[in-house]
Amino acid sequence: MQTTEILVIGGGPAGLSAALEAASLGADVTVLDSDLKLGGQLIKQTHKFFGSKAEYAGTRGFEIANFLFDEIEKYKTLGKLKVFTNTTATGYYKEDGVVSYMVGEEKYGRIKPQKLVFATGAQERLIPFVNNDMPGVYGAGAIQTLMNVYGIVPGEKVLMIGAGNIGLIVSYQLMQAGIKIAGIVEAMPKIGGYWVHAAKIRRLGVPIYLQHTIKEALGNNVVEGAVIQEVNNCFQPVGDPMEVECDTICLAVGLTPTCELLWSAGCEMKFVPQLCGYVARRDPMMRTSHPDIWVAGDAAGIEEASAAMVEGRIAGLSAVASLNHVSQETFYDRSAEYHQRLENLRAGEVGEKIRSGLSCVCCKQWG
Amino acid sequence: MVSKRVDVAVIGGGVHGCSTAYHLAKKGFKTALFERDYISSGSSGRSAAGLRYQFGTEVNIRLAQYNMKCLKSLGEDLHYPGDLEYDPAGYLWIAYSESQLAQLEKNVKLQNELGTTGSKVLTVKGIQEVAPFLNTEGMLGASFNQEDGHINPHTLCFAYADAAKALGVEINKKITVTGLISKGGQVAGIHTNKGDWEADAVVCCAGAWTQNIGRWVDLDIPVIPERHQILITEPVERMKHPMTLCLDDGSYWKQCPNGTFMLGVGKEEVKDTSFYASWDYLEAATERILPKMPILEHIRVVRQWTGPYGNTPDFQAIVGATPVEGFYIDCGWSGHGLQFAPSVGRIMAEIVNGEKPFIDVSMFRYSRFEEGDLFFEPACI
Amino acid sequence: MDKLFNSGVLTAERIETVIPPRDLWKTKKNGLVIIECPQRIPCNPCYESCPTGAILPFEDINDTPVVDYTKCIGCGRCVAKCPGLACFVADLTWGAENEALMKLPYEMLPKPEPGDEVVCLDRIGSEVSQGKVINITEPWEDSTMVVHVVVPKDRVMDIRNIKVVKNNAR
Amino acid sequence: MSIKLIKDHPILDFGHEEKKMVTFTFDNKEMKGFEDDPIAAALHANGIQVYRITPKTERPRGFFCAIGKCSSCFMIVDGVPNVRTCVTPLKAGMKVETQKGRGVLKSEEGEER
């Protein structure tokens, strides 16, 4: 059976950061990623990131991914890091300490790590409306994959559902790809994403329908239009429904952490609405109640990629430290730096939700 | 805290607890049911969900006849709006040795004598007819009954729980029973983490968790938890394939109504109520089943779960009163209990009501272990 | 009004707060920056990109930017760096009495070329006026353009975007 | 049918010219797509949006999550049902079929039972 010192599940911003941190400290690291390409959501982001210099602020997401890939290549060459794409971790067997995985669609394997970092990311939420399963109703991540990774036109005219950061950013990206936006529908009386992202898309002439929701996707086999509806503060319909011309409906109604492996590992889990679903309880070093398992990124609670990268660093650092590969000085220096960065990222009003969510799941240390 | 009062408290929101509560309410008892988690969260919802006539002891066969009759139309009878997914795809017990075949023949003979005419012994050619995808190499024969089958264990529990609720039963979910109230040597209610309930009788339907409850009244109930696991594959179109059980290695597999295959295997397992699955089991089950049904080679396993059996020394249930007055038990079903909910729920209500059970279950008495009067069920894995 | 602001459009009283000091602005060659960043978010590339220290250091990365207009040289480096495309430069000294030069961020296709007549758009994408492109720069060589457009002077607080109309579009 | 690609982009260069174009079939119709792109993406570029028909209610399903999690894009690929086409790379000569219902298991000899 394959073995590794540290197994990182998920090769997105959090997972790659964890792997790089661990490899930089001399650990033998293996990364599994279910996608065909490494980089998770980062490779789909054409906008410049927020945050500070340490989180590559002002740099486009896909370029940040390229920086990480360069470093990954370096450690691969040194023989410290192995990366497997198109490889889905299918289970964690607690009593055997074994992770099973599937390569492609049919080949199975398993690996026995000493320490594990679960950076499994998130998955798209769905909202109920008539015909929400119809082809042409796509998740925002899927649309980004089609147009920004593979350069394929996802549709001619898109109705965006949700004005959080993802809805706003993907609308902007669609326009960059030359695709029309029929409008952005948001049930709340206020956009949920950064105000500046909304301003960018508004000055392109895109309407944002606040306090509106989608009622129905129209069409026979594929989307040929949509019906939207104004709602009041209690989400009750106001006035007549309105038909919108579009051939694609993009759902950007939030994400929820991918946590199946954490459950099967028996990690203590908690439902935290502010973090968008079930998340593992963890100490400040991102260690879960299972002493060999760490969590990082969206799997630990939905947040920006910049925070995910720092969490990955912390998890990687702590996992290697548990193998006694790190001097105390390095550990404390790096740990202090990373925690300061996280604190800065979460300090403002937009970090309030995250802060209150984290206060529900973070413990000072495991007893 | 002011304690509440009911006639009967039922411990356990599995299928036996729900059915017992339903039948008690039908007799007019003010009943409350207590479940630590959600309805069907224990072994019921984790079971292989099999229904069958094919047992090897008289009491089980007689109970099974009643069970099978009830289960066929249970959804309608209980006015349950959901789908119980009752599916008579058949049960095929395979023998790989003369002694196994002899036991199957004996079982079938007894079933036939007691009026279950659908059970029969098959030759290898007969096996190929009812289960064309099997590799019959090494098989000597089998017993088969086309009316045996499958039911959805969750909706089965919900149907009983909803029917009980409609008759006024208090269904308490997410409440943990923490002790039994004893008064003058008899059980007079329960303690829970949400207060006390006084009751004239307590019926324990806690399955593999029964032993802990017995200890509160100094009973050593010989129900030993044992982990069992199940694998589920991706769904594929229905194929002609009955539930198949192999007496040589305890492997069993069937296709559920939604198209998924369910796979399991008899194996030395840990003796506790843990819910964790093991890689060994995945390997053992697939290694043993694939040669017997090669077409499953490329099907993908998508889930694996665990639910404990509550085993007794003779793999037979313990049903009825106990030496502690007011304390009744229905446990120890050793892995085949789900399907007995219709008959045994009714019998528990009859026993609590002081009636003679409609089927004699004295063989299942608690005192048989002390008396050394064990009787083994040959048809179980 | 709040509903408009809540959808990402800067409105009346808030616009007042981002206007550079008028006296200085009127005479400052190359123009001054207007930063429309009313929400506290963890972001500071404008500060990092400023070559003259006109954008003051952030005590907390979530602070909204504060500009020392005496130091601003209207270079447009922040215009191209800001992830929110929230910085704009307006040079009131440029050209004729009724003209001004705006330096606007641009990341769309088609790309304008010097000499192009473009349509100037306001904060909700409505047409305000015609404008003439005189220069396009790419300060960070990262595909974010800064388009220099001549606009009517009295509309500098309305114009925030351009629409490039190519007659020979593919 | 022409393939719907994003030809010009202000930020990204997809390198479509350097990628290898291969031929595959969808329900026996010949189509072209880039090698190693996800099958689902190649189909979408060819204007195909319906990938399977659900078993019970017979509703059309297509692309949805693109990360191999939602089961919306299951198709029959080279005879194997329930293939997650959003994360399965396209190869030359692949036989891609709309999956109607649950898909059928085949024996080693390839015969359907």
Side-chain angles (χ1 to χ4, degrees):
Chain A
M1 197 190 331
Q2 282 172 272
T3 58
T4 185
E5 281 185 329
I6 293 179
L7 179 68
V8 179
I9 301 179
L16 290 183
S17 301
L20 288 172
E21 181 75 12
S24 77
L25 293 163
D28 154 44
V29 184
T30 305
V31 180
L32 307 182
D33 193 279
S34 59
D35 212 90
L36 300 181
K37 291 175 192 268
L38 212 55
Q41 300 301 306
L42 271 185
I43 58 170
K44 311 175 184 178
Q45 308 309 331
T46 57
H47 67 286
K48 293 177 178 174
F49 271 43
F50 294 80
S52 72
K53 226 175 181 171
E55 290 86 40
Y56 310 97
T59 306
R60 299 183 198 283
F62 75 93
E63 281 162 346
I64 298 175
N66 287 335
F67 294 147
L68 297 177
F69 295 159
D70 288 346
E71 266 197 89
I72 292 279
E73 281 309 314
K74 190 175 94 192
Y75 290 107
K76 269 164 80 176
T77 316
L78 291 171
K80 296 308 290 179
L81 186 58
K82 290 195 199 86
V83 178
F84 299 96
T85 53
N86 198 11
T87 303
T88 307
T90 52
Y92 175 70
Y93 291 89
K94 193 184 178 194
E95 68 177 41
D96 313 77
V98 163
V99 169
S100 58
Y101 60 80
M102 180 169 81
V103 185
E105 287 287 306
E106 294 222 9
K107 206 177 129 207
Y108 284 85
R110 63 194 163 132
I111 182 165
K112 190 170 177 139
Q114 290 179 38
K115 308 289 167 187
L116 278 143
V117 179
F118 287 170
T120 46
Q123 50 209 72
E124 214 94 51
R125 278 184 176 166
L126 193 68
I127 53 168
F129 57 89
V130 177
N131 292 333
N132 67 357
D133 61 341
M134 191 182 271
V137 179
Y138 301 144
I143 292 219
Q144 286 184 301
T145 303
L146 269 186
M147 74 174 168
N148 290 347
V149 180
Y150 297 103
I152 289 164
V153 179
E156 301 296 329
K157 196 170 186 187
V158 179
L159 176 67
M160 181 65 63
I161 313 299
N165 270 338
I166 295 177
L168 297 170
I169 290 167
V170 175
S171 297
Y172 186 74
Q173 292 174 354
L174 280 159
M175 295 199 73
Q176 286 183 314
I179 295 151
K180 292 188 187 74
I181 303 291
I184 302 175
V185 172
E186 169 59 55
M188 302 302 284
K190 194 177 172 182
I191 48 144
Y194 290 170
W195 187 91
V196 285
H197 277 317
K200 262 200 266 191
I201 191 90
R202 290 292 270 133
R203 71 175 82 108
L204 286 162
V206 172
I208 297 183
Y209 300 102
L210 295 175
Q211 297 205 295
H212 276 71
T213 189
I214 179 164
K215 239 184 125 184
E216 184 174 355
L218 301 172
N220 260 329
N221 262 335
V222 296
V223 171
E224 291 162 16
V227 179
I228 66 171
Q229 168 75 57
E230 188 175 354
V231 295
N232 62 18
N233 288 336
C234 309
F235 303 105
Q236 296 305 308
V238 180
D240 293 327
M242 182 168 92
E243 222 175 287
V244 179
E245 197 190 307
C246 62
D247 65 359
T248 305
I249 295 166
C250 180
L251 296 183
V253 290
L255 300 168
T256 193
T258 300
C259 55
E260 292 86 348
L261 289 171
L262 288 156
W263 279 106
S264 58
C267 297
E268 267 181 49
M269 303 293 285
K270 195 167 176 191
F271 186 82
V272 184
Q274 301 97 308
L275 301 177
C276 306
Y278 276 100
V279 291
R281 295 192 62 220
R282 80 297 296 259
D283 70 8
M285 297 309 291
M286 304 307 291
R287 197 178 204 158
T288 69
S289 63
H290 187 309
D292 296 329
I293 295 176
W294 283 256
V295 68
D298 275 355
I302 305 302
E303 211 180 338
E304 294 296 313
S306 32
M309 288 187 278
V310 187
E311 283 187 345
R313 291 276 168 188
I314 292 173
L317 172 65
S318 176
V320 180
S322 74
L323 294 167
N324 289 323
H325 283 356
V326 189
S327 76
Q328 281 221 334
E329 204 190 335
T330 307
F331 179 81
Y332 286 120
D333 286 355
R334 290 199 185 187
S335 169
E337 183 208 322
Y338 297 150
H339 281 106
Q340 186 59 53
R341 273 162 59 184
L342 269 186
E343 204 182 305
N344 293 346
L345 287 172
R346 292 166 175 162
E349 285 82 344
V350 291
E352 198 181 311
K353 199 173 114 188
I354 298 293
R355 293 198 303 274
S356 82
L358 290 174
S359 69
C360 309
V361 286
C362 278
C363 60
K364 281 220 168 65
Q365 68 181 82
W366 293 106
Chain B
M1 196 185 289
V2 185
S3 55
K4 295 162 193 148
R5 237 217 89 76
V6 290
D7 297 331
V8 188
V10 177
I11 304 175
V15 71
H16 279 243
C18 293
S19 173
T20 298
Y22 165 73
H23 283 100
L24 283 165
K26 259 174 89 172
K27 290 194 180 294
F29 287 101
K30 189 175 179 220
T31 306
L33 179 143
F34 299 86
E35 165 54 45
R36 181 173 55 179
D37 205 340
Y38 55 90
I39 296 298
S40 82
S41 59
S43 301
S44 292
R46 295 159 187 273
S47 76
L51 319 172
R52 56 178 158 116
Y53 285 100
Q54 295 187 74
F55 281 92
T57 50
E58 183 177 341
V59 60
N60 281 338
I61 294 169
R62 288 196 189 281
L63 291 169
Q65 288 169 345
Y66 179 80
N67 296 334
M68 296 302 278
K69 195 180 85 191
C70 287
L71 290 166
K72 210 173 275 183
S73 60
L74 194 71
E76 287 156 45
D77 297 346
L78 296 180
H79 308 294
Y80 184 66
D83 187 358
L84 295 189
E85 296 170 34
Y86 170 77
D87 178 43
Y91 251 61
L92 182 70
W93 290 80
I94 307 259
Y96 281 87
S97 71
E98 291 296 343
S99 65
Q100 289 166 6
L101 189 59
Q103 181 62 54
L104 291 178
E105 283 165 353
K106 213 168 128 190
N107 294 350
V108 168
K109 186 160 172 277
L110 185 59
Q111 289 157 22
N112 292 160
E113 279 168 13
L114 294 172
T116 296
T117 51
S119 298
K120 55 190 174 189
V121 175
L122 297 181
T123 60
V124 173
K125 191 161 171 290
I127 295 173
Q128 285 161 345
E129 272 163 29
V130 301
F133 296 98
L134 289 183
N135 169 17
T136 51
E137 196 185 327
M139 295 179 184
L140 298 184
S143 72
F144 180 72
N145 191 323
Q146 182 63 61
E147 290 171 72
D148 292 349
H150 169 96
I151 204 158
N152 181 322
H154 298 285
T155 48
L156 177 62
C157 292
F158 300 159
Y160 273 123
D162 288 359
K165 201 171 168 185
L167 293 176
V169 174
E170 224 185 279
I171 304 281
N172 298 299
K173 290 174 269 189
K174 300 275 180 191
I175 291 187
T176 306
V177 176
T178 53
L180 295 170
I181 301 171
S182 275
K183 266 189 198 148
Q186 72 180 64
V187 167
I190 57 166
H191 301 294
T192 78
N193 60 342
K194 301 263 172 73
D196 292 351
W197 269 262
E198 285 177 19
D200 298 332
V202 172
V203 181
C204 175
C205 299
W209 292 266
T210 297
Q211 212 172 29
N212 299 333
I213 291 167
R215 287 195 183 115
W216 291 333
V217 284
D218 296 326
L219 290 179
D220 183 18
I221 305 171
V223 173
I224 308 300
E226 185 183 67
R227 181 171 74 173
H228 269 261
Q229 303 183 50
I230 279 174
L231 308 175
I232 296 291
T233 71
E234 63 187 306
V236 291
E237 286 297 333
R238 283 304 287 272
M239 297 156 66
K240 189 175 159 99
H241 179 72
M243 168 70 143
T244 303
L245 305 97
C246 295
L247 288 173
D248 63 330
D249 58 10
S251 60
Y252 63 89
W253 66 103
K254 67 174 168 185
Q255 191 176 22
C256 301
N258 67 355
T260 60
F261 274 86
M262 180 185 274
L263 288 68
V265 70
K267 185 177 168 298
E268 188 56 40
E269 277 280 23
V270 292
K271 303 283 187 281
D272 65 24
T273 53
S274 83
F275 284 158
Y276 295 107
S278 72
W279 174 270
D280 280 359
Y281 189 88
L282 174 76
E283 227 165 43
T286 49
E287 272 172 13
R288 291 184 209 175
I289 292 169
L290 286 187
K292 292 170 175 168
M293 187 149 160
I295 199 170
L296 295 178
E297 171 99 37
H298 294 291
I299 202 167
R300 307 170 186 89
V301 172
V302 297
R303 273 201 299 287
Q304 180 174 356
W305 72 67
T306 300
Y309 280 14
N311 285 344
T312 61
D314 55 5
F315 303 101
Q316 295 280 20
I318 311 172
V319 172
T322 66
V324 180
E325 205 171 317
F327 184 60
Y328 300 85
I329 53 177
D330 164 19
C331 59
W333 285 93
S334 309
H336 52 267
L338 182 87
Q339 58 198 303
F340 285 87
S343 56
V344 179
R346 177 175 161 186
I347 286 170
M348 288 312 290
E350 288 168 348
I351 292 173
V352 170
N353 200 30
E355 298 168 45
K356 183 169 176 282
F358 80 108
I359 294 171
D360 179 17
V361 290
S362 57
M363 302 283 280
F364 289 147
R365 70 195 179 281
Y366 172 74
S367 60
R368 75 175 185 274
F369 303 101
E370 223 172 67
E371 298 156 10
D373 192 13
L374 304 188
F375 72 120
F376 287 85
E377 171 53 57
C380 67
I381 280 179
Chain C
M1 218 49 174
D2 258 4
K3 197 152 183 173
L4 200 56
F5 177 74
N6 287 343
S7 77
V9 181
L10 206 66
T11 45
E13 70 280 11
R14 290 187 178 91
I15 293 179
E16 290 304 313
T17 66
V18 301
I19 300 175
R22 287 175 199 277
D23 291 345
L24 182 64
W25 199 15
K26 267 190 258 176
T27 55
K28 185 91 172 200
K29 219 166 158 26
N30 285 326
L32 291 174
V33 70
I34 300 161
I35 303 185
E36 301 193 347
C37 183
Q39 184 188 30
R40 285 170 52 83
I41 53 174
C43 185
N44 67 5
C46 57
Y47 157 72
E48 297 274 359
S49 70
C50 182
T52 64
I55 297 171
L56 301 179
F58 285 53
E59 209 166 289
D60 172 343
I61 193 172
N62 290 280
D63 289 344
T64 53
V66 179
V67 184
D68 178 350
Y69 291 98
T70 61
K71 290 186 184 163
C72 179
I73 57 170
C75 66
R77 293 178 78 77
C78 58
V79 175
K81 195 68 177 179
C82 170
L85 305 189
C87 303
F88 316 88
V89 169
D91 177 0
L92 303 182
T93 68
W94 199 92
E97 185 53 35
N98 60 348
E99 286 179 335
L101 182 72
M102 292 199 76
K103 301 172 192 172
L104 302 171
Y106 191 78
E107 293 183 327
M108 292 285 155
L109 289 181
K111 281 180 187 163
E113 282 160 51
D116 279 355
E117 284 288 333
V118 293
V119 179
C120 297
L121 307 174
D122 65 8
R123 294 184 183 83
I124 57 169
S126 298
E127 296 184 8
V128 173
S129 68
Q130 287 294 110
K132 189 177 173 114
V133 176
I134 59 155
N135 193 16
I136 297 118
T137 63
E138 192 185 348
W140 303 94
E141 293 178 359
D142 65 353
S143 304
T144 304
M145 305 290 151
V146 178
V147 183
H148 297 225
V149 203
V150 182
V151 305
K153 188 178 266 179
D154 58 344
R155 304 311 295 269
V156 292
M157 281 317 288
D158 300 323
I159 293 167
R160 289 296 173 268
N161 195 13
I162 53 162
K163 187 162 82 185
V164 180
V165 191
K166 296 265 177 183
N167 291 330
N168 56 345
R170 16 160 214 119
Chain D
M1 187 187 279
S2 70
I3 298 178
K4 289 188 282 184
L5 297 177
I6 299 168
K7 291 200 182 65
D8 298 305
H9 195 281
I11 313 291
L12 297 169
D13 175 13
F14 301 108
H16 284 143
E17 296 73 27
E18 292 97 68
K19 287 168 96 170
K20 189 176 162 195
M21 187 73 88
V22 297
T23 305
F24 66 102
T25 64
F26 165 71
D27 288 350
N28 296 319
K29 287 186 288 287
E30 209 163 87
M31 288 183 180
K32 286 192 185 312
F34 294 117
E35 187 176 46
D36 291 334
D37 272 13
I39 295 168
L43 285 171
H44 209 282
N46 279 279
I48 304 299
Q49 284 187 274
V50 178
Y51 298 169
R52 73 175 174 108
I53 307 292
T54 61
K56 253 191 193 163
T57 50
E58 300 184 359
R59 291 177 68 82
R61 290 281 166 83
F63 203 59
F64 180 71
C65 81
I67 52 173
K69 291 232 166 77
C70 75
S71 77
S72 184
C73 69
F74 280 3
M75 299 181 84
I76 303 168
V77 177
D78 291 336
V80 179
N82 295 344
V83 170
R84 301 169 301 160
T85 55
C86 69
V87 289
T88 300
L90 180 72
K91 302 290 177 195
M94 260 182 173
K95 188 171 151 61
V96 181
E97 295 167 88
T98 305
Q99 180 168 327
K100 296 187 173 95
R102 296 189 176 86
V104 175
L105 272 193
K106 287 181 185 169
S107 63
E108 281 299 276
E109 299 79 46
E111 65 189 286
E112 286 184 26
R113 305 259 196 150

